[in-house]
Amino acid sequence: MGMTAYEIIKKKRDGRRLDAAEIEFLIASFMKGETSDYQIVAFLMAVYFRGLSGRETTLLTENIMNSGELFDLSSVPGIKVDKHSTGGVGDKVSLLVAPLVASCGVPVPMVSGRGLGHTGGTLDKLESIPGFRTRLTPDEFRGQLERIGVAMMGQTDRMAPADGRIYALRDVTATVDSMPLIAASIMSKKLAEGTDALVLDVKTGRGAFMQRRKDAADLARTMVRIGREMGKTMVALITSMEQPLGQAIGNSVEVEESIRALKGEGPPDLLEVTLALGAEMLMAGRKAKGIPQARAMLEGQLRNGQALEKFRQMVSAQGGDGRVTEDPGLLPRAGELVPIQAARSGFVERIDCLEVGLAAVDLGAGRTTAASPIDPAVGIILHHKVGERVKRGEVLATVLAGNQEKGNRAAVRIRNAYTIGPRRRRIQIILDRL
Amino acid sequence: MGMTAYEIIKKKRDGRRLDAAEIEFLIASFMKGETSDYQIVAFLMAVYFRGLSGRETTLLTENIMNSGELFDLSSVPGIKVDKHSTGGVGDKVSLLVAPLVASCGVPVPMVSGRGLGHTGGTLDKLESIPGFRTRLTPDEFRGQLERIGVAMMGQTDRMAPADGRIYALRDVTATVDSMPLIAASIMSKKLAEGTDALVLDVKTGRGAFMQRRKDAADLARTMVRIGREMGKTMVALITSMEQPLGQAIGNSVEVEESIRALKGEGPPDLLEVTLALGAEMLMAGRKAKGIPQARAMLEGQLRNGQALEKFRQMVSAQGGDGRVTEDPGLLPRAGELVPIQAARSGFVERIDCLEVGLAAVDLGAGRTTAASPIDPAVGIILHHKVGERVKRGEVLATVLAGNQEKGNRAAVRIRNAYTIGPRRRRIQIILDRL
């Protein structure tokens, strides 16, 4: 009896569960051109309404992953551990945590993405370092992991190509907002890189894709289950994206802040998220007996310069100028600085995270379409964050722009993004672990 | 602000109502190739889950109708009245009612379809008359209506082409079973023919597409509302398709039964449905003051031979051999006759209507795919219907087949389709009117 896409669509439309053979057929026949784009879209819209069970989600992820090249890292000794964030504003944790954890002897194979919407992307940030190459071959990636224990590259066209084709269809058919489809898309790409363990940073709040905490927890649970069913060690932290992480938003400014943080001089919220995720990575890599010990190890590597040294090794290995760790002047930096002053005294009660992210995109730090170029030199520095006391006239933030007009426009948005009032609020950053 | 298919899909996905401009944009941009097949499918699947309001359904119908050529029948005097059936087994009412009503002075412009699944099609039946042409130009159609008051033709490619394209997509994406989409599809084609009034025969029961009475009533209500909102006089009868209508199932055998019925010698159930629909058509055409008067007029036209004469005029006008009304031997007739005997005595309690329809398709009377040829000469004659007393060994039915093997296979199916038992059941045929 021949299986047909029609029967599979109808089954899902009617709320019935699909088995392994049906999901395999659907993705394989799609990649062979036997199942059409419109049939896949019918399936995706049916999934939007009917959902997928945990098992179905895992099967979908596996089949999307298997549509392309899988990295074989078995030649790299040790338990390979990666971290993935669902995306935020000022989220430069990958730049810190990858070399930091690698410096403790845990190999970190990291395949990252570019900025999307109001959020920044790790690849864009790394590429603001002169010479840095994010396009590596699988052999280069593996070789670098063997030599220095850390490598960061962009996804290739040959990894999970079904995801790219499905995502392009979801993007124009209003089928993006489906938890199992989001989870399958992230995990299929991430697990193709060959890691043994994955620590997830699922962001929630105003600047995150999952603004509601419940949605973030659902997504985290779904991804953790997928990874575990595929034999991976999985941990997820739910972290706050109510205000930007750290002080810098942009590309070269975030690299600069990361380097300072690797020297132990980073803003407290950035350090907190980095240590929390890093400790989970050390535990997953079996390098520590408990979270307190793991954190102590990480803090030691920041103090003794080993984390920074690992970062420098990685930059050099990937063609970048390693001297950037000592001379931030090597990074591009926009010439037009626009300071933003506090209109009144009080506490910073809120910084609209989404608005800051959009202002950064408008400056040129992010993309409006997948093809648009970015300007690595522009950005925003937040001198004061939520909970801090400010005086009228004090500089709250500085915009680094390519020209005065863009700088002034961003400055207005940033000023309006700040709420100053009488209450001293505190934002809890690490919200949950699963 | 540019409208986008994406926003329209998302709005419907979220259960919100679309306005006239949005529905117009969607269909127009689809026909221009600016909205892709997969976006239309995303919309259709969203409609499957969210439904359409009455207003949205009418707007969709109107826009699909307006995607092609509209017949202008304003030169034909009088109120033009058509009838449409949702399809059944042995349903040859169109062949009877069109000339019958036309013979009373009501112009009947009828654009019909072909057999689909287990149901027969009016065009296939007409084409079993030697020479009969169902492909007419709009001018021929209008000219014939002006001259003799009745014309029956097939849909052209230029009528509601959006419906054909949408239906082809629905057919392979499990989006056929949606009440508003079914109603819009039927009505967009039907109203392109330029009729002023439409009497619907919505079938329900084992042999109908809407097996459940509630679904048939929903479809009838939806179609009546669409027609009325588009300014047409609309009536719908819900009629039973629990057993085949009349005694003959096939093409030439149904034409032969229709001719007998036009002479007043038809089976009672066929006559009942014909008179009920015909009376509604006369009322819609303002030729009678009430249903009893209308029925009396129709019965008179059957008795005095005027209905049969109008049928003969139509057959001749469309290239067919008009002598067929007097000499059924001119019709093709399969040579292999297989009688089916009653296995025991009792009352016919049930005749599985779907099974009879499928057996007829298997004989060659209908289509398995849109492209498959049909055999006009084959068919099934049911000598006994539900409620009739039969004796063991008596002939229940006769199969007319192209060869013995096919005849025997159909005979087994027909025998099994009959249930003979102790109870005298009666099937009510006209179930509701709206």
Side-chain angles (χ1 to χ4, degrees), chain B residues 145-158:
Chain B
L145 274 170
E146 286 168 356
R147 283 196 316 280
I148 64 170
V150 60
M152 296 173 83
M153 68 177 280
Q155 202 196 337
T156 71
D157 292 345
R158 295 163 72 183

Side-chain angles (χ1 to χ4, degrees), chain A residues 46-311:
Chain A
V47 168
Y48 176 87
F49 282 101
R50 295 295 196 176
L52 290 178
S53 71
R55 180 90 192 110
E56 287 175 314
T57 309
T58 301
L59 289 165
L60 183 64
T61 307
E62 248 170 348
N63 280 286
I64 293 173
M65 181 185 87
N66 288 331
S67 70
E69 181 171 66
L70 304 182
F71 286 5
D72 178 3
L73 299 182
S74 55
S75 67
V76 181
I79 302 166
K80 278 72 72 182
V81 184
D82 187 16
K83 184 225 72 158
H84 177 78
S85 158
T86 58
V89 179
D91 180 9
K92 68 280 291 176
V93 172
S94 290
L95 276 66
L96 295 163
V97 86
L100 174 58
V101 168
S103 78
C104 298
V106 175
V108 180
M110 192 179 277
V111 176
S112 297
R114 299 203 174 267
L116 185 67
H118 66 283
T119 69
T122 297
L123 298 181
D124 298 327
K125 293 169 195 176
L126 287 169
E127 286 174 356
S128 70
I129 300 169
F132 197 98
R133 281 198 306 129
T134 56
R135 290 191 173 205
L136 304 181
T137 66
D139 283 347
E140 286 175 325
F141 186 70
R142 186 174 50 239
Q144 187 175 320
L145 275 171
E146 286 168 356
R147 283 195 317 280
I148 64 170
V150 59
M152 296 173 83
M153 68 177 281
Q155 202 197 336
T156 71
D157 292 345
R158 295 164 72 184
M159 295 173 78
D163 178 69
R165 288 187 51 197
I166 290 171
Y167 194 88
L169 291 172
R170 285 169 63 204
D171 203 30
V172 293
T173 55
T175 47
V176 166
D177 315 332
S178 157
M179 204 61 76
L181 296 181
I182 293 169
S185 174
I186 294 172
M187 294 297 284
S188 63
K189 285 179 293 193
K190 211 56 196 171
L191 297 183
E193 75 188 10
T195 191
D196 300 311
L198 184 60
V199 175
L200 296 169
D201 180 9
V202 181
K203 304 283 191 194
T204 187
R206 177 72 180 158
F209 288 108
M210 300 288 149
Q211 296 207 347
R212 293 184 304 179
R213 175 126 170 227
K214 187 195 164 300
D215 293 338
D218 278 355
L219 178 60
R221 242 189 312 275
T222 306
M223 292 197 291
V224 164
R225 178 162 42 193
I226 292 169
R228 286 183 185 155
E229 287 190 11
M230 288 169 72
K232 307 296 179 183
T233 301
M234 297 291 302
V235 179
L237 298 184
I238 314 284
T239 70
S240 170
M241 194 33 74
E242 269 308 315
Q243 66 175 340
L245 193 60
Q247 296 185 308
I249 300 102
N251 294 288
S252 62
V253 291
E254 291 198 40
V255 171
E256 198 179 327
E257 184 172 60
S258 299
I259 291 168
R260 276 195 289 111
L262 283 165
K263 292 174 178 171
E265 295 157 15
D269 61 343
L270 176 60
L271 195 67
E272 189 176 345
V273 174
T274 302
L275 292 177
L277 292 165
E280 298 292 353
M281 291 172 79
L282 285 194
M283 293 293 290
R286 305 226 183 111
K287 289 290 181 186
K289 289 188 180 128
I291 294 291
Q293 189 197 357
R295 287 181 73 109
M297 283 173 70
L298 295 169
E299 284 167 337
Q301 295 299 91
L302 290 174
R303 269 196 308 272
N304 67 19
Q306 290 300 306
L308 184 67
E309 169 57 18
K310 188 57 74 183
F311 179 81

Side-chain angles (χ1 to χ4, degrees), chain B residues 406-425:
Chain B
K406 284 192 175 180
N408 289 338
R409 196 164 64 204
V412 170
R413 295 182 78 159
I414 300 299
R415 180 182 300 116
N416 292 334
Y418 269 86
T419 305
I420 296 170
R423 286 171 307 169
R424 176 165 215 149
R425 281 189 61 214

Side-chain angles (χ1 to χ4, degrees), chain B residues 7 23 35 62 71 85 98 103 128-129 139 156 174 183 187 204 206 233 256 289 308 310 344 360 366 380 391:
Chain B
E7 287 299 331
I23 292 174
T35 288
E62 248 170 347
F71 286 5
S85 157
S103 77
S128 70
I129 301 170
D139 283 346
T156 71
M187 294 297 285
T204 187
R206 177 72 181 159
T233 301
E256 199 180 326
K289 287 188 183 128
L308 184 67
K310 188 56 73 182
R344 58 167 170 151
I380 300 160
K391 284 196 188 136

